[in-house]
Amino acid sequence: MDAKLNELAKNFGRFKTAFIHNDFDTSANLLSDLKVMLTELSSLPPLYQDTPNAAKELEIARDIYEHAAILSVKIEDQDAFERDFFQLKHYYTDVRNRLPSSRHEYPILGLNLLRLLVQNRIAEFHTELELLSSTALEKPCIKHAVGLEQSLMEGAYNWVLHITLHARQTVPHESYVYFMDLLAKTVRDEIAGCSEKAYPYLSNKDAQRMLLFPYEHELLAYINEDHPEWEVKNGGVYFQEVEETVRCKEIPSLQLINQTLSYARELERIV
Amino acid sequence: MATLVSSAGGLLAMLNESRPELKLYALSNLNKLVDGFWPEISTSVPIIESLYEDEEFGQHQRQLAALLVSKVFYYLGELNDSLSYALGAGSLFDVSEDSYYIHTLLAKAIDEYASLKSKAAESNADAANVDPRLEAIVERMLNKCILDGKYQQAMGIAIECRRLDKLEEAIIKSDNVQGTLSYCINVSHSYVNLREYRREVLRLLVRVYQKLPSPDYLSICQCLMFLDEPEGVASILEKLLRSENKDDELLAYQIAFDLVENEHQAFLLNVRNRLSAPKAQPSEPVQPESSEVAQNEGSAPGDVQMTDGSSTTNVTVLEDPSEVMYSERLTKIKGILSGETSIKLTLQFLYSHNKSDLLILKTIKQSVEMRNSVCHSATIYANAIMHAGTTVDTFLRENLDWLSRATNWAKFSATAGLGVIHRGHLQQGRSLMAPYLPQGGAGGGGSPYSEGGALYALGLIHANHGEGIKQFLRDSLRSTNVEVIQHGACLGLGLSALGTADEEIYDDIKSVLYTDSAVAGEAAGISMGLLMVGTASEKASEMLTYAHETQHEKIIRGLALGIALTVYGREEEADTLIEQMTRDQDPILRYGGMYALALAYSGTANNKAIRQLLHFAVSDVSDDVRRTAVLALGFVLYSEPEQTPRIVSLLSESYNPHVRYGAALAVGISCAGTGLSEAISLLEPLTSDVVDFVRQGALIAMAMVMVQISEASDSRVGAFRRQLEKIILDKHEDTMSKMGAILASGILDAGGRNVTIRLLSKTKHDKVTAVVGLAVFSQFWYWYPLIYFLSLAFSPTALIGLNNDLKVPKFEFLSHAKPSLFEYPKPTTVATTTSAVKLPTAVLSTSAKATKARAKKEAADQKANPEKSAETSGKGKSSSEKDGDSMQVDSSTEKKPEPEPSFEILTNPARVVPAQEEYIKFLEESRYVPVKLAPSGFVLLRDLRPTEPEVLSLTDTPSSTASPAGGSATGQPGSASAMAVDEEPQPPQPFEYTV
């Protein structure tokens, strides 16, 4: 083992202690140092040089990024999670057969799927899903996310909200909680979007029931925050009328006439 | 097994990290991966862009980001964005890297830079608005090219980008400065479109040339001629003439001959007048004067000059030997510069080598109906063209009776035809024409038509060298009121004073124009143009005004062509005038506008001009304008004949016969004398077009393309000759196409089979006279006598070696190709048509045996040298045809299948056709060494054994036309005795060299 790796392992140890003690600031600082140190190792992606310590280095790097991903969930930073996950992904795909499998792999993949759900990036969600092997799909962490997505697509918002709000104990991993909270809001946004199209207005009560808010003031707060364009009056919520898009466009008659005339002229000129 | 990266996602994510080290790491790795992962990276371009714009980021990182973005844009096909970011990448953009990205962007950068620079140059603004970073990249590229020794590339870029400083650097640093310079001259002629800029480049080249230790005066003088700086040429010539060294003297003569070849009369005059007279000699100042006077008198100026020169040397021999030598040489060079020497030599060559076939003319004459005056005069035209410049008028003399059937304008052109035949006969031209000329205003018995024709003939004889005849023509013009004579005199004056811009002559002609007579006015319009060729003078607007005033279409047409002639070669300077003409209401003026486009951009292959012409060719309402627009393409493109068939190929299939006609002539003009295969393929279907005048045009054009191409190099030449014969003999053929066929026969054998149509001199300059000649020639659509202008475009295909006395010594050189490839066509025989029919049936047992034996032998030959098999088989065919002709001489056919020698010794002066030039080699152990390794034209020879007596092979007075036995087949006794008056029937010569 060379000095760099030693140094790295030592720092990683310090990071882990801080991490376990939930000392997030210290661990974040240590983590960014670690990442910089990782850039000096040539066996890591994207270079993948075949150095003698490659396997060890890869393993420790994967470990670091896994911790980084979990840490970012803990400090509730979606962007950081996304970054860390993308960097981590190399270890799950490119060098899969060179490393022993990690116990964090499926939870983190599941977390990523959840994140995509929360951010309502359904296309990417499916892309990710396609890349997973059939064994991975069997894992509870993945199944959980897939189930949620299906319910969302079916429009079973009630069911989703029920899970997110009331069935917290069923989550397969403790770090999922953060995303479950966020998911509730995503679902509400969806419902709000649909209601907007479907109704000219809703009574407060209906709206509250529709959006599954336990209390009316929560509804009002939500409207204030996310949909300031809605009007709340007469005990009802009035949606902004969506402007009807013009169905059939005017026939571009002038343009067509001009075109035909020019064809005729060109025909005259054909040599 | 190495692991491969599957995605750039990780690195892209890393770009969002807060630590700059991580960003840098990601950037540099992305930069390595971009070739494979650009689709993924493209979604993150905004992030990378923001890194590039981030002021806090280090310089290196920002450049890296710029490079990365540039590459992504490159892959996305957004070259403009890519370039602007590549500029931001500064030195990281490595011009020496060998990748598609770098190559593409470099090209883009250079294009951009070049267009910016030329825009800046056009608007006369400073180059300040050019991005310095762009400039830096281009300069890096230039420096790299120079360092790598890719000078041609560097020069190309430098010229394109208007970086004359870099151009100079590239030339000076190159290891073969002479070669590079000549390359550069070529490039500047063929690729620099703007006239002004080309002048700048050439000026630079002259400067570089002069800095060299041993300047190449030949090239310098060519450049100076283009720049129109006679002083420079004169001083160089003077320096060379004053030199003690004989070689320098020869070089001076060579320069003079090369300049003369470009036919720039006004320039040559200037050079001649600027050569300083010898110093300290009392009798000298008179000398140039006297030669002028001699020329003005128009009688034997050459001889007078010679005696003059010798007399002065006699007088001044005691004063200063070097001055004496100089004055002697000066006399000679003035003779050359006036064009007299070359004209005299050419005349001698054409006379002595005349190979025209009178039987063809006889066949034409017999087959043409008496009453058909069009074909009658076409035969006269064909005769004139066939004998252009040979002074052989046997046919006319023998058929005076027949000739006298020409009346009115036919008489005019019959008389003018003599001028073509005697073209260049400066000494005796006037006396030859004397019987036809107007008799001193007394209004003698001659018909005005023959008098007018004679004046026109004088112009043709003295075309572009009219010093001696101008005055006479002016007097004739002034002293007559007959419009036919005025017509002839105007044309004659225009021809003899071509391009001199002589004000007095102009005024004389103008007064004729203002009489508003249609016949005289047309000639006056053309004549004014001829006078003002290439001067772009304001006279053009005067002419345009009159064209609007007059009622006569003929005058308008003449003026329109005249105006077009004035802008000859002026390129973009002429744009205003062209615009004015092409927008005119009057189709005849638009028609003139087409000619103006053709002539202003002649030989430049300028894209803008081509586009304009093509536009008019398909959009104008007048057929005349459309026809001319297509025809004009031929002029614009003659420097690149390969392009023309491709560009007009669609037009040649037009439904409009006028456009088809134009396409045929365009090909004929631009590919004249090249024998280009594509041109022939394009013209072939047109020669059997449904419309008669298209057939006419196609036949004429085909003849122009096939001038001097032998049947051995393209079998279609033979087929074409047979086709012509068939058309001429066919009673039911239309007059128009019959006329075309008769003219085509004339053109095909033009000038005794020793001239070709050439619009470019050997140094790639335009030959003014030739281009003007063809332009006016193409007017024959309206006015047949203008056909004679074609003779201006003829240039003899000869190599004439000269010693320092400007005499033709005996000198041999090598043509390293089979003689049959370039030999004269075989003379036609009376029985050609019948024998062609008999051929398949008449197979005698002996000849069959012979054929078999020959076939065997040929097969063996082909095996021996397969690459020549094609030629051998072609040869075999022609010789088997001969078998049919002369079956009774079986013994001679036995000899024929001897392998043809692969080379031929030619004797000075010799016929060297353009295609043959590449095979010409000078023998090493020869007594004479050429000053310039030119395969044709006038070549000065250095005598290595000056003490030995010289044998001259071309004397001043050729005794008879008996031509030296060439490699060609012998003349048939029957035809020779019947046709050629002073040609002895020659014994059948040994056909081949027997080994």
Side-chain angles (χ1 to χ4, degrees), chain B residues 813-883:
Chain B
F813 55 95
L814 190 72
S815 164
H816 202 75
K818 298 188 172 212
S820 71
L821 267 180
F822 304 115
E823 70 188 359
Y824 290 103
K826 293 177 194 70
T828 48
T829 57
V830 186
T832 25
T833 42
T834 46
S835 76
V837 183
K838 256 190 247 163
L839 183 60
T841 52
V843 182
L844 295 184
S845 61
T846 45
S847 65
K849 243 182 250 167
T851 325
K852 220 183 268 171
R854 188 172 58 244
K856 227 184 247 172
K857 202 155 199 177
E858 260 172 16
D861 271 358
Q862 284 180 2
K863 240 178 255 170
N865 44 359
E867 77 279 2
K868 283 179 188 158
S869 63
E871 283 144 86
T872 327
S873 64
K875 175 72 193 156
K877 207 170 79 193
S878 71
S879 68
S880 74
E881 239 166 289
K882 258 205 111 65
D883 278 359

Side-chain angles (χ1 to χ4, degrees), chain B residues 715-935:
Chain B
S715 62
R716 287 176 289 186
V717 177
F720 181 61
R721 279 183 188 275
R722 285 189 286 281
Q723 187 188 5
L724 288 179
E725 197 177 0
K726 200 175 134 263
I727 294 176
I728 292 169
L729 292 174
D730 187 351
K731 290 240 178 321
H732 305 291
E733 188 65 48
D734 289 302
T735 306
M736 286 287 262
S737 53
K738 212 168 209 176
M739 176 199 166
I742 296 171
L743 282 179
S745 320
I747 297 170
L748 211 49
D749 291 332
R753 294 180 168 162
N754 283 314
V755 299
T756 186
I757 300 171
R758 223 201 287 245
L759 296 177
L760 285 176
S761 70
K762 266 158 239 108
T763 41
K764 306 280 178 216
H765 285 286
D766 314 332
K767 296 176 76 161
V768 187
T769 326
V771 177
V772 168
L774 270 191
V776 185
F777 161 74
S778 57
Q779 292 280 307
F780 74 86
W781 175 276
Y782 299 103
W783 193 233
Y784 289 152
L786 295 177
I787 286 173
Y788 289 135
F789 272 81
L790 181 64
S791 68
L792 301 190
F794 290 153
S795 66
T797 49
L799 187 141
I800 302 179
L802 298 170
N803 62 11
N804 62 349
D805 282 331
L806 305 184
K807 296 272 189 292
V808 185
K810 200 165 157 48
F811 162 67
E812 288 187 331
F813 55 95
L814 190 72
S815 164
H816 202 75
K818 298 188 172 212
S820 71
L821 267 180
F822 304 115
E823 70 188 359
Y824 290 103
K826 293 177 194 70
T828 48
T829 57
V830 186
T832 25
T833 42
T834 46
S835 76
V837 183
K838 256 190 247 163
L839 183 60
T841 52
V843 182
L844 295 184
S845 61
T846 45
S847 65
K849 243 182 250 167
T851 325
K852 220 183 268 171
R854 188 172 58 244
K856 227 184 247 172
K857 202 155 199 177
E858 260 172 16
D861 271 358
Q862 284 180 2
K863 240 178 255 170
N865 44 359
E867 77 279 2
K868 283 179 188 158
S869 63
E871 283 144 86
T872 327
S873 64
K875 175 72 193 156
K877 207 170 79 193
S878 71
S879 68
S880 74
E881 239 166 289
K882 258 205 111 65
D883 278 359
D885 290 349
S886 50
M887 270 176 303
Q888 66 276 29
V889 274
D890 246 349
S891 56
S892 74
T893 60
E894 294 290 326
K895 275 188 223 154
K896 276 177 188 159
E898 292 290 335
E900 196 182 353
S902 61
F903 63 90
E904 185 180 16
I905 300 285
L906 300 173
T907 318
N908 184 31
R911 175 193 195 242
V912 176
V913 300
Q916 196 177 3
E917 285 173 7
E918 55 185 305
Y919 300 105
I920 296 298
K921 296 213 167 53
F922 294 103
L923 299 169
E924 278 182 11
E925 65 276 16
S926 170
R927 172 173 168 182
Y928 296 100
V929 176
V931 169
K932 173 186 148 189
L933 288 172

Side-chain angles (χ1 to χ4, degrees), chain A residues 65-67 69-73 81 85 88 92 96 101-116 125 128 132 135-146 171-177 179-180:
Chain A
Y65 279 117
E66 279 172 348
H67 278 87
I70 296 167
L71 176 68
S72 58
V73 175
F81 175 77
F85 175 76
L88 180 58
Y92 293 149
R96 191 171 183 83
S101 60
S102 150
R103 67 189 167 89
H104 293 297
E105 179 174 353
Y106 295 110
I108 291 182
L109 285 175
L111 272 177
N112 184 48
L113 291 176
L114 263 187
R115 171 183 69 86
L116 291 171
F125 178 90
E128 288 294 324
L132 294 177
T135 45
L137 292 178
E138 296 299 312
K139 303 290 174 193
C141 307
I142 309 290
K143 263 178 140 173
H144 177 76
V146 174
V171 292
H173 195 271
E174 72 229 291
S175 49
Y176 278 41
V177 179
F179 281 120
M180 297 305 272

Side-chain angles (χ1 to χ4, degrees), chain B residues 361-576:
Chain B
L361 277 173
K362 198 181 169 194
T363 320
I364 296 173
K365 195 194 96 186
Q366 282 167 349
S367 61
V368 164
E369 276 178 70
M370 296 295 172
R371 278 164 290 118
N372 192 335
S373 68
V374 173
C375 291
H376 183 268
S377 28
T379 315
I380 297 172
Y381 293 128
N383 170 54
I385 290 169
M386 223 182 242
H387 292 98
T390 61
T391 72
V392 176
D393 48 9
T394 323
F395 179 77
L396 294 179
R397 282 180 200 284
E398 280 182 1
N399 298 293
L400 284 173
D401 238 14
W402 173 81
L403 192 63
S404 64
R405 275 194 207 99
T407 50
N408 296 343
W409 283 108
K411 195 177 226 167
F412 176 89
S413 40
T415 320
L418 283 174
V420 177
I421 294 177
H422 291 285
R423 176 157 192 245
H425 214 161
L426 300 186
Q427 287 104 322
Q428 290 161 41
R430 185 137 161 230
S431 55
L432 276 167
M433 299 310 298
Y436 311 99
L437 288 172
Q439 304 299 322
S447 129
Y449 290 101
S450 68
E451 288 177 7
L455 291 172
Y456 180 23
L458 277 183
L460 287 164
I461 292 175
H462 292 267
N464 209 2
H465 298 282
E467 292 296 304
I469 203 74
K470 273 195 297 207
Q471 194 55 44
F472 174 76
L473 286 170
R474 276 181 67 190
D475 292 343
S476 310
L477 180 65
R478 277 199 222 129
S479 61
T480 184
N481 291 320
V482 186
E483 55 178 13
V484 181
I485 301 181
Q486 284 177 333
H487 183 92
C490 281
L491 287 179
L493 261 181
L495 279 164
S496 58
L498 190 78
T500 50
D502 189 318
E503 288 290 331
E504 290 174 29
I505 298 179
Y506 180 82
D507 288 338
D508 283 347
I509 298 174
K510 198 165 75 179
S511 59
V512 173
L513 177 72
Y514 285 162
T515 58
D516 206 38
S517 130
V519 172
E522 182 183 31
I526 296 175
S527 181
M528 286 166 135
L530 291 172
L531 204 58
M532 295 288 165
V533 159
T535 54
S537 77
E538 308 88 65
K539 300 280 192 310
S541 56
E542 199 178 299
M543 291 159 78
L544 197 58
T545 325
Y546 191 73
H548 281 125
E549 280 169 17
T550 185
Q551 297 292 316
H552 296 287
E553 276 195 9
K554 268 176 172 286
I555 299 184
I556 303 176
R557 191 174 300 122
L559 282 169
L561 183 66
I563 298 167
L565 288 169
T566 61
V567 293
Y568 169 86
R570 305 303 287 210
E571 299 179 30
E572 50 298 323
E573 262 177 78
D575 281 351
T576 353

Side-chain angles (χ1 to χ4, degrees), chain B residues 214-374:
Chain B
S214 59
D216 177 359
Y217 289 117
L218 281 171
S219 311
I220 297 183
C221 289
Q222 292 295 338
C223 291
L224 287 173
M225 197 204 78
F226 184 82
L227 294 171
D228 205 5
E229 286 176 8
E231 303 87 358
V233 177
S235 71
I236 288 176
L237 286 178
E238 204 175 321
K239 194 171 124 202
L240 288 172
L241 289 177
R242 285 189 186 278
S243 155
E244 292 295 319
N245 194 336
K246 282 236 173 210
D247 292 354
D248 285 347
E249 181 196 352
L250 290 175
L251 189 60
Y253 298 153
Q254 183 72 62
I255 291 172
F257 273 119
D258 285 358
L259 292 177
V260 168
E261 208 214 334
N262 296 320
E263 299 178 343
H264 199 324
Q265 198 183 5
F267 177 77
L268 294 172
L269 265 174
N270 274 330
V271 174
R272 205 146 34 117
N273 295 338
R274 280 190 170 77
L275 284 173
S276 66
K279 287 172 278 186
Q281 289 186 34
S283 65
E284 267 321 302
V286 191
Q287 194 258 332
E289 294 289 320
S290 68
S291 79
E292 293 286 303
V293 172
Q295 280 171 26
N296 284 346
E297 278 161 10
S299 58
D303 292 352
V304 175
Q305 237 172 323
M306 282 306 175
T307 51
D308 225 6
S310 55
S311 71
T312 42
T313 48
N314 285 339
V315 174
T316 58
V317 75
L318 297 171
E319 293 194 12
D320 180 358
S322 74
E323 284 303 311
V324 173
M325 183 191 69
Y326 173 65
S327 81
E328 254 178 54
R329 291 174 174 179
L330 193 65
T331 320
K332 281 187 214 160
I333 206 149
K334 286 198 170 178
I336 300 173
L337 286 176
S338 70
E340 281 154 16
T341 313
S342 56
I343 288 175
K344 201 170 74 189
L345 288 165
T346 307
L347 196 67
Q348 283 169 6
F349 167 78
L350 288 178
Y351 174 61
S352 60
H353 284 64
N354 178 24
K355 278 279 183 181
S356 60
D357 190 346
L358 285 169
L359 193 60
I360 296 179
L361 277 173
K362 198 181 169 194
T363 320
I364 296 173
K365 195 194 96 186
Q366 282 167 349
S367 61
V368 164
E369 276 178 70
M370 296 295 172
R371 278 164 290 118
N372 192 335
S373 68
V374 173

Side-chain angles (χ1 to χ4, degrees), chain A residues 22-183:
Chain A
N22 284 346
D23 183 356
F24 295 139
D25 288 342
T26 326
S27 41
N29 282 338
L30 283 168
L31 183 66
S32 71
D33 285 343
L34 279 171
K35 282 184 179 170
V36 174
M37 286 172 83
L38 283 179
T39 62
E40 289 162 19
L41 299 179
S42 55
S43 64
L44 302 188
L47 302 173
Y48 295 124
Q49 276 170 11
D50 222 352
T51 54
N53 295 324
K56 283 225 171 65
E57 285 171 6
L58 283 170
E59 197 173 344
I60 199 166
R62 183 180 68 182
D63 220 2
I64 290 173
Y65 279 117
E66 279 172 348
H67 278 87
I70 296 167
L71 176 68
S72 58
V73 175
K74 283 195 174 161
I75 56 178
E76 308 196 341
D77 183 345
Q78 286 187 51
D79 292 338
F81 175 77
E82 186 178 349
R83 280 202 304 271
D84 293 329
F85 175 76
F86 272 121
Q87 292 176 55
L88 180 58
K89 216 175 137 196
H90 287 293
Y91 300 90
Y92 293 149
T93 52
D94 302 354
V95 284
R96 191 171 183 83
N97 4 0
R98 288 170 59 183
L99 294 178
S101 60
S102 150
R103 67 189 167 89
H104 293 297
E105 179 174 353
Y106 295 110
I108 291 182
L109 285 175
L111 272 177
N112 184 48
L113 291 176
L114 263 187
R115 171 183 69 86
L116 291 171
L117 269 188
V118 165
Q119 294 170 349
N120 216 355
R121 286 152 72 174
I122 305 299
E124 282 168 69
F125 178 90
H126 284 280
T127 317
E128 288 294 324
L129 210 57
E130 289 303 319
L131 292 172
L132 294 177
S133 60
S134 52
T135 45
L137 292 178
E138 296 299 312
K139 303 290 174 193
C141 307
I142 309 290
K143 263 178 140 173
H144 177 76
V146 174
L148 279 175
E149 194 264 349
Q150 277 166 357
S151 318
L152 263 181
M153 289 301 105
E154 284 163 16
Y157 296 134
N158 288 354
W159 169 242
V160 178
L161 272 186
H162 172 77
I163 292 185
T164 50
L165 298 178
H166 308 297
R168 294 190 156 214
Q169 58 280 19
T170 60
V171 292
H173 195 271
E174 72 229 291
S175 49
Y176 278 41
V177 179
Y178 163 62
F179 281 120
M180 297 305 272
D181 287 343
L182 293 175
L183 192 57

